[in-house]
Amino acid sequence: MMAPQMAASVWSAPIVLLFLFVCLVFSNLFPVSFTRDELLNIRQHIPANLFPDFEYSDVLLDILVGGMAVLFKCTMRRRRGKRAGALVRLRRRRFRTALPSIHLANLCSLPNKTDELHLLTCTNKDFSNSAAMCFTETWLSEAIPDSALHLPGFQLFKADRIAELTGKTRGGGTCFYINESWCTDVTTLKKMCCPNLEALFINCKPFYSPREFSSFILVTVYIAPNVCLNAVLQQLTVQITDTEQQYPDSVIIILGDFNKANLTRELPKYKQYITYPTRDRNILDHCYTTIKDAYRSVPRADLVLSDHCLVHLLPTYRQKLKSTKPVVRTEKRWTSEAERELQACFDCTDWSVFEAADTNLYKLTDTVTSYISFCEDMCIPTRTYLIFNNDKPWFTAELR
């Protein structure tokens, strides 16, 4: 039954095209013309049989419907394969990176650059596809509402400078813009504000992350110039160490304007990934994390009226699942039936044969042990499985 229907559907498309072509040719051979008066008086001279009743054939109707269905299916199949499928795959893979891509900059007043950031997020794919944007020296205060700093598709998390704690009425302040397509589960862990140090800790649990990372803790830091660097770094180290103890399976990424400070002196396991000058010939903006080969820094043009150049951090880390091969392991399954079969094998064994073969105790022990291992391999079934390097101890076979 399926073959005749498919054949009729295939033949119906050329028939429809031929019918439309014939109608077009005959309409050009016998044109109909009207004068102006006839067009104005056409309503009064409508004949009674203008709309006659047509008798149609079910066969012709089925052919026309079948032909249109074939053309519609071919068109939809072509669009679905070339456009829709490619766009869906692009949306899914845009943020399927092991680490988030981040933009870092020292703004010197965020309210004056909101319009420029809005334009960049709408026209520049680097900004719109960025997972997070970190800004220092935002010059924000409680008098500026969050609605005035809104960027489409991003969530704002800020830490304003408090004049009562710092004794300064201008400058400072840090903030994060988190892309909603990358993560919406964001929690503010802590804020620090003192005359020499300002910091903001947020915990991000994105839609996609490698199994070895439970979450990403982003830290933005601003260290004022001309301060005691040892005291500031010790204070920051205490806060980072406490966060590591509370979230041992999370990745901590520290960003910001460190001026002349170097965090690796206090925390040697953290590596700095910005390798080019960000202001004149000095590397003042830093990015620290404990992951090896985590980022590649790319310089961008600075924003308007900003004395620090923009830094784009591109992730280069490969997750353990892709960088290392899984380990193959084999284990024996000691079921009750296998134990009974092994016991029956031992009961049928004539152990005196081993004693008569050799009187040396060491050789006798070796022979009997080898025979027992042989019986285990014959009676006990085995199971082979893979162990991936990114598996957690609690990731059992039942949970998988």
Side-chain angles (χ1 to χ4, degrees):
M1 294 297 294
M2 295 299 295
Q5 293 179 1
M6 294 179 61
S9 301
V10 173
W11 281 101
S12 60
I15 292 175
V16 173
L17 296 176
L18 181 60
F19 174 75
L20 296 176
F21 178 75
V22 172
C23 293
L24 180 62
V25 171
F26 275 94
S27 63
N28 294 330
L29 292 178
F30 304 100
V32 180
S33 60
F34 296 92
T35 63
R36 183 174 182 274
D37 296 335
E38 290 176 347
L39 292 175
L40 293 175
N41 299 326
I42 194 171
R43 181 179 301 176
Q44 300 177 0
H45 298 84
I46 296 177
N49 59 350
L50 181 62
F51 303 104
D53 296 332
F54 293 96
E55 295 181 359
Y56 60 89
S57 174
D58 295 339
V59 178
L60 180 59
L61 181 62
D62 294 340
I63 291 175
L64 292 175
V65 174
M68 295 301 294
V70 171
L71 292 176
F72 179 75
K73 289 181 180 179
C74 294
T75 305
M76 292 303 296
R77 185 180 299 110
R78 181 168 61 253
R79 292 187 63 186
R80 187 179 297 113
K82 289 186 177 181
R83 294 190 62 187
L87 292 176
V88 169
R89 288 193 296 270
L90 179 61
R91 294 191 192 101
R92 290 179 179 177
R93 294 180 181 179
R94 183 178 297 174
F95 293 100
R96 291 183 64 88
T97 56
L99 295 177
S101 60
I102 304 174
H103 279 85
L104 172 64
N106 185 306
L107 292 182
C108 295
S109 179
L110 176 60
N112 296 335
K113 301 175 179 61
T114 305
D115 295 337
E116 184 179 359
L117 292 176
H118 188 280
L119 180 62
L120 288 175
T121 54
C122 295
T123 58
N124 195 327
K125 292 184 178 180
D126 288 343
F127 278 83
S128 60
N129 296 339
S130 180
M133 291 187 289
C134 174
F135 298 131
T136 57
E137 283 205 73
T138 58
W139 296 13
L140 298 178
S141 63
E142 297 180 354
I144 302 176
D146 294 348
S147 59
L149 308 172
H150 174 70
L151 292 180
F154 288 84
Q155 287 182 325
L156 175 63
F157 299 88
K158 63 176 183 175
D160 302 335
R161 170 175 284 183
I162 303 175
E164 292 78 7
L165 298 178
T166 60
K168 303 176 183 178
T169 58
R170 186 180 179 183
T174 60
C175 73
F176 276 112
Y177 279 102
I178 304 299
N179 198 322
E180 295 178 350
S181 300
W182 175 66
C183 179
T184 56
D185 186 3
V186 184
T187 306
T188 302
L189 299 181
K190 63 180 71 175
K191 298 180 181 180
M192 297 178 57
C193 185
C194 61
N196 300 329
L197 176 64
E198 299 177 24
L200 172 63
F201 292 70
I202 62 173
N203 188 13
C204 303
K205 297 181 180 180
F207 301 114
Y208 169 80
S209 63
R211 190 180 299 170
E212 57 263 30
F213 306 143
S214 61
S215 64
F216 297 95
I217 298 178
L218 304 182
V219 183
T220 174
V221 176
Y222 173 71
I223 298 178
N226 302 324
V227 299
C228 182
L229 297 180
N230 294 331
V232 172
L233 291 177
Q234 289 179 2
Q235 185 179 2
L236 181 61
T237 301
V238 171
Q239 300 296 329
I240 295 175
T241 304
D242 294 341
T243 305
E244 289 178 345
Q245 295 176 356
Q246 295 178 7
Y247 304 92
D249 296 331
S250 300
V251 178
I252 300 180
I253 303 175
I254 307 171
L255 311 134
D257 185 0
F258 283 76
N259 281 303
K260 297 182 180 180
N262 189 357
L263 188 60
T264 55
R265 297 177 182 177
E266 299 292 335
L267 298 174
K269 61 180 180 179
Y270 281 84
K271 184 180 178 182
Q272 210 279 105
Y273 284 98
I274 298 179
T275 57
Y276 60 88
T278 58
R279 182 183 179 183
D280 297 333
R281 297 183 180 181
N282 302 318
I283 304 177
L284 303 182
D285 300 311
H286 296 177
C287 172
Y288 296 94
T289 185
T290 57
I291 303 174
K292 183 179 179 181
D293 300 330
Y295 283 103
R296 176 174 63 90
S297 59
V298 178
R300 303 294 186 189
D302 55 344
L303 300 176
V304 178
L305 301 177
S306 178
D307 55 353
H308 289 241
C309 68
L310 190 66
V311 182
H312 189 191
L313 295 167
L314 299 175
T316 57
Y317 169 77
R318 292 190 62 192
Q319 57 206 69
K320 293 182 179 180
L321 183 62
K322 298 180 180 179
S323 60
T324 57
K325 295 182 178 180
V327 180
V328 181
R329 291 188 179 181
T330 304
E331 66 176 9
K332 296 181 179 180
R333 306 183 64 180
W334 290 86
T335 61
S336 57
E337 296 180 358
E339 292 178 359
R340 288 195 296 269
E341 185 178 357
L342 181 61
Q343 185 64 37
C345 181
F346 290 156
D347 294 339
C348 298
T349 302
D350 187 5
W351 300 98
S352 61
V353 176
F354 299 102
E355 298 178 0
D358 199 340
T359 57
N360 190 347
L361 179 61
Y362 296 102
K363 293 183 179 181
L364 178 61
T365 303
D366 188 21
T367 304
V368 172
T369 304
S370 301
Y371 176 75
I372 293 174
S373 300
F374 172 75
C375 293
E376 288 183 2
D377 297 337
M378 293 295 295
C379 300
I380 306 300
T382 58
R383 182 176 68 93
T384 303
Y385 59 96
L386 298 177
I387 295 181
F388 298 93
N389 292 326
N390 61 345
D391 284 344
K392 299 294 184 180
W394 46 265
F395 199 76
T396 59
E398 291 78 6
L399 181 60
R400 182 181 291 105

